[in-house]
Amino acid sequence: MCASLSQEVIKKEDDKMRIAVTYDNGMIFQHFGHTEQFKYYDVQGTDIVRFNIISTNGSGHGALAKMLKEDDVDILICGGIGGGAKNALAEAGIKLYGGVTGRADDAVISLLNNSLNFNPNVKCSHHDHEHGDEEHTCGDHGCGNHDCGNH
């Protein structure tokens, strides 16, 4: 298996499937729109034949979906994700496996073995609430580290 860490995306071969995972230090990053890296896995059958880590260059939700489409990604594995990003991925034809935690490599292997535990109704709940008088702790909604005051 070939590995690389780069900004440059290797062209996907036609007979391969490409899986992207929101990535941070070996783990699945838990907020799609704030991920700073994706780990791409090129797969043939059930074998990972190549992987590389790609920087998002600070792109936001909509730009990330466009980036994945341009990089010929077929499947995305991530933690939390908002409705707009889910719609953008669906429009791009990218299959989503959200609500996944743990090591990125383990998640891809589980997906290839048809045993990935994911949530088909995943959503990043901070996109759907207001910060008023309710008692709220920003870390409780599992979307990674961010400043809820900006939402």
Side-chain angles (χ1 to χ4, degrees):
M1 176 173 13
C2 301
S4 63
L5 174 62
S6 69
Q7 292 288 110
E8 187 175 325
V9 178
I10 299 167
K11 183 171 174 18
K12 182 180 84 170
E13 297 173 34
D14 290 338
D15 63 338
K16 308 284 188 296
M17 173 177 59
R18 178 164 286 164
I19 301 169
V21 180
T22 53
Y23 188 77
D24 183 37
N25 197 31
M27 305 300 284
I28 299 168
F29 188 71
Q30 291 301 299
H31 187 162
F32 171 78
H34 291 199
T35 193
E36 294 181 10
Q37 296 178 322
F38 288 108
K39 187 168 183 180
Y40 288 174
Y41 300 80
D42 287 352
V43 175
Q44 186 166 25
T46 58
D47 297 324
I48 298 169
V49 295
R50 178 186 308 126
F51 62 87
N52 63 328
I53 300 168
I54 303 298
S55 172
T56 64
N57 296 319
S59 299
H61 299 80
L64 291 175
K66 181 179 178 189
M67 174 185 170
L68 293 173
K69 181 177 181 176
E70 289 173 354
D71 292 346
D72 291 323
V73 169
D74 300 294
I75 294 172
L76 171 68
I77 298 173
C78 68
I81 186 167
K86 286 173 68 172
N87 291 339
L89 290 169
E91 288 174 15
I94 298 170
K95 185 164 177 64
L96 172 65
Y97 292 88
V100 182
T101 61
R103 291 177 26 85
D105 293 352
D106 294 344
V108 171
I109 291 166
S110 292
L111 177 67
L112 296 175
N113 292 326
N114 294 315
S115 61
L116 181 64
N117 185 12
F118 70 99
N119 178 357
N121 299 312
V122 67
K123 69 178 180 177
C124 194
S125 61
H126 78 271
H127 291 279
D128 297 328
H129 67 255
E130 296 294 325
H131 294 281
D133 294 331
E134 67 188 62
E135 190 172 316
H136 173 81
T137 303
C138 292
D140 287 348
H141 46 67
C143 296
N145 296 323
H146 67 277
D147 179 4
C148 280
N150 291 330
H151 294 286

